Amino acid sequence: MSIEVNNESTYDIDEAALQRLATYCLDAMRVHPDAEIALVLVDEAAMEQLHVQWMGEPGPTDVLSFPMDELRPGNDDIITPPGVLGDVVLCPQVAEVQAEGAGHSTMDELLYLTAHGILHLLGFDHAEPEEEKEMFSLQRDLIVGYTMSEKQRDTQ
């Protein structure tokens, strides 16, 4: 997998953890190993500009996804074709505020948002109640699986 992390924000982020999570998510979703994805971290001003430009909504948001080749998840029998999955843009400042409200670290929130953004790139949405249930359940499963894999990695 080609997973590029560009930290254009002023936050010091564990970029390797974001890469490991993205790799875990893409493997779990049976995405082709030659797929490409970019994770971009930006400050509030840049995120607000993107939010207004692409969503028509004021203020910065936590995560935006920009799909490219409209790849979809594979399954046990078929993986996706190779291609450019797209970009996930994250705003650490917004993530920090959300993390404080949720009672966990900013990094945990960024991991959660990264998984969320990747699912959007793969065509998942949460506009309807059933879609939301499916997407957030899958998101939880990915985070739990990633957390377990990290604990195993740390014990080796």
Side-chain angles (χ1 to χ4, degrees):
M1 308 249 168
S2 173
I3 301 167
E4 185 176 331
V5 178
N6 297 315
N7 187 356
E8 299 172 5
S9 76
T10 57
Y11 268 70
D12 184 27
I13 301 297
D14 184 351
E15 295 176 19
L18 291 177
Q19 280 187 313
R20 287 191 306 273
L21 171 69
T23 299
Y24 180 86
C25 290
L26 297 175
D27 285 345
M29 300 303 293
R30 307 295 196 266
V31 173
H32 197 282
D34 290 335
E36 298 176 30
I37 184 173
L39 307 175
V40 184
L41 295 102
V42 299
D43 62 22
E44 287 177 298
M47 183 58 101
E48 180 173 15
Q49 184 178 25
L50 290 169
H51 199 209
V52 169
Q53 179 181 357
W54 294 103
M55 304 300 288
E57 297 182 20
T61 190
D62 50 6
V63 60
L64 290 170
S65 298
F66 298 95
M68 297 291 284
D69 290 342
E70 297 187 14
L71 300 176
R72 297 297 178 251
N75 57 44
D76 288 339
D77 299 320
I78 301 170
I79 61 171
T80 65
V84 179
L85 194 56
D87 298 340
V88 174
V89 182
L90 304 155
C91 183
Q93 288 95 337
V94 174
E96 180 178 45
V97 171
Q98 291 176 179
E100 289 171 6
H104 55 245
S105 72
T106 301
M107 191 63 205
D108 285 344
E109 186 73 10
L110 287 168
L111 292 169
Y112 169 84
L113 294 171
T114 299
H116 186 86
I118 289 171
L119 289 175
H120 275 306
L121 292 180
L122 290 168
F124 291 89
D125 203 352
H126 47 84
E128 300 297 325
E130 281 202 23
E131 292 174 333
E132 181 177 2
K133 183 178 178 182
E134 177 187 18
M135 183 176 178
F136 282 82
S137 174
L138 184 53
Q139 184 175 301
R140 273 188 304 278
D141 291 348
L142 289 170
I143 293 296
V144 167
Y146 167 75
T147 302
M148 290 177 15
S149 72
E150 285 291 286
K151 286 180 182 178
Q152 288 176 347
R153 187 181 74 83
D154 290 343
T155 60
Q156 293 178 353

